[in-house]
PDB file of all heavy atoms in Angstrom:
ATOM      1  N   CYS A  23      92.373 260.167 -59.386  1.00  0.00           N
ATOM      2  CA  CYS A  23      91.832 261.465 -58.987  1.00  0.00           C
ATOM      3  C   CYS A  23      92.949 262.433 -58.972  1.00  0.00           C
ATOM      4  O   CYS A  23      94.055 262.165 -58.475  1.00  0.00           O
ATOM      5  CB  CYS A  23      91.222 261.349 -57.596  1.00  0.00           C
ATOM      6  SG  CYS A  23      90.762 262.847 -56.756  1.00  0.00           S
ATOM      7  N   TYR A  25      93.896 266.735 -58.204  1.00  0.00           N
ATOM      8  CA  TYR A  25      93.392 267.938 -57.533  1.00  0.00           C
ATOM      9  C   TYR A  25      94.366 269.060 -57.738  1.00  0.00           C
ATOM     10  O   TYR A  25      95.407 268.836 -58.361  1.00  0.00           O
ATOM     11  CB  TYR A  25      93.136 267.624 -56.063  1.00  0.00           C
ATOM     12  CG  TYR A  25      94.352 267.148 -55.311  1.00  0.00           C
ATOM     13  CD1 TYR A  25      95.192 268.055 -54.623  1.00  0.00           C
ATOM     14  CD2 TYR A  25      94.666 265.816 -55.288  1.00  0.00           C
ATOM     15  CE1 TYR A  25      96.313 267.626 -53.953  1.00  0.00           C
ATOM     16  CE2 TYR A  25      95.772 265.375 -54.589  1.00  0.00           C
ATOM     17  CZ  TYR A  25      96.618 266.265 -53.945  1.00  0.00           C
ATOM     18  OH  TYR A  25      97.708 265.852 -53.264  1.00  0.00           O
ATOM     19  N   ILE A  29      96.366 269.931 -49.672  1.00  0.00           N
ATOM     20  CA  ILE A  29      95.267 269.288 -48.967  1.00  0.00           C
ATOM     21  C   ILE A  29      95.734 268.797 -47.562  1.00  0.00           C
ATOM     22  O   ILE A  29      96.903 268.585 -47.287  1.00  0.00           O
ATOM     23  CB  ILE A  29      94.753 268.097 -49.720  1.00  0.00           C
ATOM     24  CG1 ILE A  29      95.879 267.033 -49.974  1.00  0.00           C
ATOM     25  CG2 ILE A  29      94.134 268.488 -51.022  1.00  0.00           C
ATOM     26  CD1 ILE A  29      95.384 265.705 -50.535  1.00  0.00           C
ATOM     27  N   ASN A  30      94.715 268.664 -46.620  1.00  0.00           N
ATOM     28  CA  ASN A  30      94.901 268.009 -45.378  1.00  0.00           C
ATOM     29  C   ASN A  30      94.842 266.443 -45.574  1.00  0.00           C
ATOM     30  O   ASN A  30      95.642 265.727 -45.035  1.00  0.00           O
ATOM     31  CB  ASN A  30      93.838 268.373 -44.396  1.00  0.00           C
ATOM     32  CG  ASN A  30      94.086 269.739 -43.795  1.00  0.00           C
ATOM     33  OD1 ASN A  30      95.202 270.186 -43.611  1.00  0.00           O
ATOM     34  ND2 ASN A  30      93.010 270.445 -43.542  1.00  0.00           N
ATOM     35  N   ASN A  31      93.879 266.037 -46.356  1.00  0.00           N
ATOM     36  CA  ASN A  31      93.675 264.709 -46.625  1.00  0.00           C
ATOM     37  C   ASN A  31      92.844 264.490 -47.887  1.00  0.00           C
ATOM     38  O   ASN A  31      92.295 265.460 -48.407  1.00  0.00           O
ATOM     39  CB  ASN A  31      92.971 263.989 -45.411  1.00  0.00           C
ATOM     40  CG  ASN A  31      91.583 264.488 -45.184  1.00  0.00           C
ATOM     41  OD1 ASN A  31      90.621 264.199 -45.926  1.00  0.00           O
ATOM     42  ND2 ASN A  31      91.396 265.303 -44.128  1.00  0.00           N
ATOM     43  N   LEU A  32      92.785 263.283 -48.325  1.00  0.00           N
ATOM     44  CA  LEU A  32      91.926 262.953 -49.477  1.00  0.00           C
ATOM     45  C   LEU A  32      91.121 261.706 -49.106  1.00  0.00           C
ATOM     46  O   LEU A  32      91.609 260.791 -48.461  1.00  0.00           O
ATOM     47  CB  LEU A  32      92.804 262.625 -50.719  1.00  0.00           C
ATOM     48  CG  LEU A  32      92.085 262.420 -52.038  1.00  0.00           C
ATOM     49  CD1 LEU A  32      92.901 262.999 -53.182  1.00  0.00           C
ATOM     50  CD2 LEU A  32      91.742 260.973 -52.241  1.00  0.00           C
ATOM     51  N   GLN A  33      89.844 261.776 -49.484  1.00  0.00           N
ATOM     52  CA  GLN A  33      88.976 260.729 -49.066  1.00  0.00           C
ATOM     53  C   GLN A  33      88.252 260.113 -50.312  1.00  0.00           C
ATOM     54  O   GLN A  33      88.038 260.785 -51.269  1.00  0.00           O
ATOM     55  CB  GLN A  33      87.894 261.296 -48.077  1.00  0.00           C
ATOM     56  CG  GLN A  33      88.457 261.990 -46.906  1.00  0.00           C
ATOM     57  CD  GLN A  33      87.434 262.552 -45.924  1.00  0.00           C
ATOM     58  OE1 GLN A  33      86.303 262.130 -45.873  1.00  0.00           O
ATOM     59  NE2 GLN A  33      87.816 263.612 -45.230  1.00  0.00           N
ATOM     60  N   TRP A  34      87.896 258.851 -50.145  1.00  0.00           N
ATOM     61  CA  TRP A  34      87.153 258.171 -51.222  1.00  0.00           C
ATOM     62  C   TRP A  34      85.812 257.780 -50.641  1.00  0.00           C
ATOM     63  O   TRP A  34      85.756 257.263 -49.519  1.00  0.00           O
ATOM     64  CB  TRP A  34      87.879 256.965 -51.745  1.00  0.00           C
ATOM     65  CG  TRP A  34      89.067 257.352 -52.641  1.00  0.00           C
ATOM     66  CD1 TRP A  34      90.363 257.581 -52.240  1.00  0.00           C
ATOM     67  CD2 TRP A  34      89.043 257.510 -54.065  1.00  0.00           C
ATOM     68  NE1 TRP A  34      91.139 257.875 -53.375  1.00  0.00           N
ATOM     69  CE2 TRP A  34      90.366 257.842 -54.466  1.00  0.00           C
ATOM     70  CE3 TRP A  34      88.044 257.373 -55.019  1.00  0.00           C
ATOM     71  CZ2 TRP A  34      90.703 258.088 -55.806  1.00  0.00           C
ATOM     72  CZ3 TRP A  34      88.413 257.646 -56.345  1.00  0.00           C
ATOM     73  CH2 TRP A  34      89.690 257.986 -56.739  1.00  0.00           C
ATOM     74  N   HIS A  45      81.487 256.634 -46.845  1.00  0.00           N
ATOM     75  CA  HIS A  45      82.980 256.790 -46.728  1.00  0.00           C
ATOM     76  C   HIS A  45      83.641 255.488 -46.771  1.00  0.00           C
ATOM     77  O   HIS A  45      83.295 254.490 -46.162  1.00  0.00           O
ATOM     78  CB  HIS A  45      83.302 257.507 -45.415  1.00  0.00           C
ATOM     79  CG  HIS A  45      84.774 257.679 -45.178  1.00  0.00           C
ATOM     80  ND1 HIS A  45      85.496 256.919 -44.373  1.00  0.00           N
ATOM     81  CD2 HIS A  45      85.590 258.661 -45.745  1.00  0.00           C
ATOM     82  CE1 HIS A  45      86.772 257.374 -44.413  1.00  0.00           C
ATOM     83  NE2 HIS A  45      86.834 258.409 -45.184  1.00  0.00           N
ATOM     84  N   ILE A  47      87.570 255.318 -47.306  1.00  0.00           N
ATOM     85  CA  ILE A  47      88.922 255.343 -46.848  1.00  0.00           C
ATOM     86  C   ILE A  47      89.416 256.783 -46.887  1.00  0.00           C
ATOM     87  O   ILE A  47      89.028 257.577 -47.793  1.00  0.00           O
ATOM     88  CB  ILE A  47      89.850 254.397 -47.656  1.00  0.00           C
ATOM     89  CG1 ILE A  47      91.191 254.145 -46.972  1.00  0.00           C
ATOM     90  CG2 ILE A  47      90.022 254.890 -49.082  1.00  0.00           C
ATOM     91  CD1 ILE A  47      91.897 252.960 -47.527  1.00  0.00           C
ATOM     92  N   LEU A  48      90.315 257.156 -45.963  1.00  0.00           N
ATOM     93  CA  LEU A  48      90.865 258.469 -45.869  1.00  0.00           C
ATOM     94  C   LEU A  48      92.429 258.381 -45.861  1.00  0.00           C
ATOM     95  O   LEU A  48      92.925 257.519 -45.105  1.00  0.00           O
ATOM     96  CB  LEU A  48      90.395 259.212 -44.607  1.00  0.00           C
ATOM     97  CG  LEU A  48      90.849 260.621 -44.319  1.00  0.00           C
ATOM     98  CD1 LEU A  48      89.784 261.342 -43.423  1.00  0.00           C
ATOM     99  CD2 LEU A  48      92.176 260.663 -43.579  1.00  0.00           C
ATOM    100  N   ILE A  49      93.073 259.113 -46.606  1.00  0.00           N
ATOM    101  CA  ILE A  49      94.526 259.108 -46.618  1.00  0.00           C
ATOM    102  C   ILE A  49      95.032 260.563 -46.308  1.00  0.00           C
ATOM    103  O   ILE A  49      94.554 261.497 -46.948  1.00  0.00           O
ATOM    104  CB  ILE A  49      95.104 258.525 -47.897  1.00  0.00           C
ATOM    105  CG1 ILE A  49      96.654 258.437 -47.799  1.00  0.00           C
ATOM    106  CG2 ILE A  49      94.713 259.358 -49.139  1.00  0.00           C
ATOM    107  CD1 ILE A  49      97.216 257.517 -48.896  1.00  0.00           C
ATOM    108  N   ARG A  50      95.893 260.688 -45.360  1.00  0.00           N
ATOM    109  CA  ARG A  50      96.357 262.012 -44.957  1.00  0.00           C
ATOM    110  C   ARG A  50      97.455 262.474 -45.876  1.00  0.00           C
ATOM    111  O   ARG A  50      98.090 261.695 -46.585  1.00  0.00           O
ATOM    112  CB  ARG A  50      96.879 262.015 -43.528  1.00  0.00           C
ATOM    113  CG  ARG A  50      95.807 261.803 -42.486  1.00  0.00           C
ATOM    114  CD  ARG A  50      96.287 261.749 -41.061  1.00  0.00           C
ATOM    115  NE  ARG A  50      95.223 261.804 -40.107  1.00  0.00           N
ATOM    116  CZ  ARG A  50      94.475 260.803 -39.755  1.00  0.00           C
ATOM    117  NH1 ARG A  50      94.677 259.604 -40.295  1.00  0.00           N
ATOM    118  NH2 ARG A  50      93.538 260.933 -38.859  1.00  0.00           N
ATOM    119  N   SER A  51      97.725 263.762 -45.920  1.00  0.00           N
ATOM    120  CA  SER A  51      98.712 264.307 -46.835  1.00  0.00           C
ATOM    121  C   SER A  51     100.101 263.789 -46.569  1.00  0.00           C
ATOM    122  O   SER A  51     100.935 263.807 -47.546  1.00  0.00           O
ATOM    123  CB  SER A  51      98.686 265.823 -46.751  1.00  0.00           C
ATOM    124  OG  SER A  51      99.016 266.270 -45.452  1.00  0.00           O
ATOM    125  N   VAL A  63      94.618 252.621 -51.515  1.00  0.00           N
ATOM    126  CA  VAL A  63      94.664 254.007 -52.003  1.00  0.00           C
ATOM    127  C   VAL A  63      96.127 254.467 -51.913  1.00  0.00           C
ATOM    128  O   VAL A  63      96.866 254.201 -50.977  1.00  0.00           O
ATOM    129  CB  VAL A  63      93.795 254.867 -51.011  1.00  0.00           C
ATOM    130  CG1 VAL A  63      94.087 256.354 -51.341  1.00  0.00           C
ATOM    131  CG2 VAL A  63      92.384 254.582 -51.259  1.00  0.00           C
ATOM    132  N   THR A  64      96.484 255.210 -52.973  1.00  0.00           N
ATOM    133  CA  THR A  64      97.831 255.843 -52.968  1.00  0.00           C
ATOM    134  C   THR A  64      97.660 257.351 -53.125  1.00  0.00           C
ATOM    135  O   THR A  64      96.610 257.807 -53.634  1.00  0.00           O
ATOM    136  CB  THR A  64      98.682 255.338 -54.086  1.00  0.00           C
ATOM    137  OG1 THR A  64      98.033 255.638 -55.367  1.00  0.00           O
ATOM    138  CG2 THR A  64      98.933 253.856 -54.019  1.00  0.00           C
ATOM    139  N   LEU A  65      98.599 258.093 -52.631  1.00  0.00           N
ATOM    140  CA  LEU A  65      98.579 259.527 -52.730  1.00  0.00           C
ATOM    141  C   LEU A  65      99.958 260.002 -53.124  1.00  0.00           C
ATOM    142  O   LEU A  65     100.937 259.679 -52.478  1.00  0.00           O
ATOM    143  CB  LEU A  65      98.121 260.146 -51.341  1.00  0.00           C
ATOM    144  CG  LEU A  65      98.094 261.681 -51.312  1.00  0.00           C
ATOM    145  CD1 LEU A  65      97.002 262.210 -52.266  1.00  0.00           C
ATOM    146  CD2 LEU A  65      97.865 262.131 -49.895  1.00  0.00           C
ATOM    147  N   SER A  71      97.796 263.822 -57.026  1.00  0.00           N
ATOM    148  CA  SER A  71      96.962 262.772 -57.560  1.00  0.00           C
ATOM    149  C   SER A  71      96.841 261.626 -56.583  1.00  0.00           C
ATOM    150  O   SER A  71      97.691 261.418 -55.696  1.00  0.00           O
ATOM    151  CB  SER A  71      97.549 262.297 -58.893  1.00  0.00           C
ATOM    152  OG  SER A  71      98.773 261.665 -58.725  1.00  0.00           O
ATOM    153  N   SER A  72      95.759 260.902 -56.771  1.00  0.00           N
ATOM    154  CA  SER A  72      95.485 259.751 -55.903  1.00  0.00           C
ATOM    155  C   SER A  72      94.861 258.630 -56.780  1.00  0.00           C
ATOM    156  O   SER A  72      94.292 258.925 -57.803  1.00  0.00           O
ATOM    157  CB  SER A  72      94.531 260.105 -54.804  1.00  0.00           C
ATOM    158  OG  SER A  72      94.133 258.951 -54.066  1.00  0.00           O
ATOM    159  N   CYS A  89      86.272 260.840 -55.287  1.00  0.00           N
ATOM    160  CA  CYS A  89      87.328 261.330 -54.374  1.00  0.00           C
ATOM    161  C   CYS A  89      86.892 262.735 -53.885  1.00  0.00           C
ATOM    162  O   CYS A  89      86.181 263.419 -54.537  1.00  0.00           O
ATOM    163  CB  CYS A  89      88.684 261.381 -55.120  1.00  0.00           C
ATOM    164  SG  CYS A  89      88.876 262.669 -56.349  1.00  0.00           S
ATOM    165  N   ALA A  90      87.349 263.003 -52.689  1.00  0.00           N
ATOM    166  CA  ALA A  90      87.009 264.292 -52.061  1.00  0.00           C
ATOM    167  C   ALA A  90      88.240 264.804 -51.381  1.00  0.00           C
ATOM    168  O   ALA A  90      88.908 264.066 -50.642  1.00  0.00           O
ATOM    169  CB  ALA A  90      85.883 264.172 -51.107  1.00  0.00           C
ATOM    170  N   THR A  91      88.579 266.038 -51.635  1.00  0.00           N
ATOM    171  CA  THR A  91      89.779 266.636 -50.989  1.00  0.00           C
ATOM    172  C   THR A  91      89.370 267.608 -49.898  1.00  0.00           C
ATOM    173  O   THR A  91      88.364 268.359 -50.029  1.00  0.00           O
ATOM    174  CB  THR A  91      90.598 267.375 -52.060  1.00  0.00           C
ATOM    175  OG1 THR A  91      89.760 268.125 -52.905  1.00  0.00           O
ATOM    176  CG2 THR A  91      91.403 266.373 -52.888  1.00  0.00           C
ATOM    177  N   ASP A  92      90.121 267.500 -48.826  1.00  0.00           N
ATOM    178  CA  ASP A  92      89.899 268.351 -47.663  1.00  0.00           C
ATOM    179  C   ASP A  92      91.017 269.355 -47.628  1.00  0.00           C
ATOM    180  O   ASP A  92      92.164 269.010 -47.315  1.00  0.00           O
ATOM    181  CB  ASP A  92      89.938 267.420 -46.415  1.00  0.00           C
ATOM    182  CG  ASP A  92      89.462 268.147 -45.177  1.00  0.00           C
ATOM    183  OD1 ASP A  92      89.438 269.398 -45.154  1.00  0.00           O
ATOM    184  OD2 ASP A  92      89.122 267.473 -44.165  1.00  0.00           O
TER     185      ASP A  92
END
Side-chain angles (χ1 to χ4, degrees):
Chain A
C23 170
Y25 58 93
I29 59 172
N30 285 325
N31 63 74
L32 186 143
Q33 304 179 27
W34 286 90
H45 179 257
I47 195 165
L48 180 153
I49 186 165
R50 292 180 171 78
S51 59
V63 169
T64 61
L65 179 65
S71 67
S72 174
C89 70
T91 44
D92 190 343

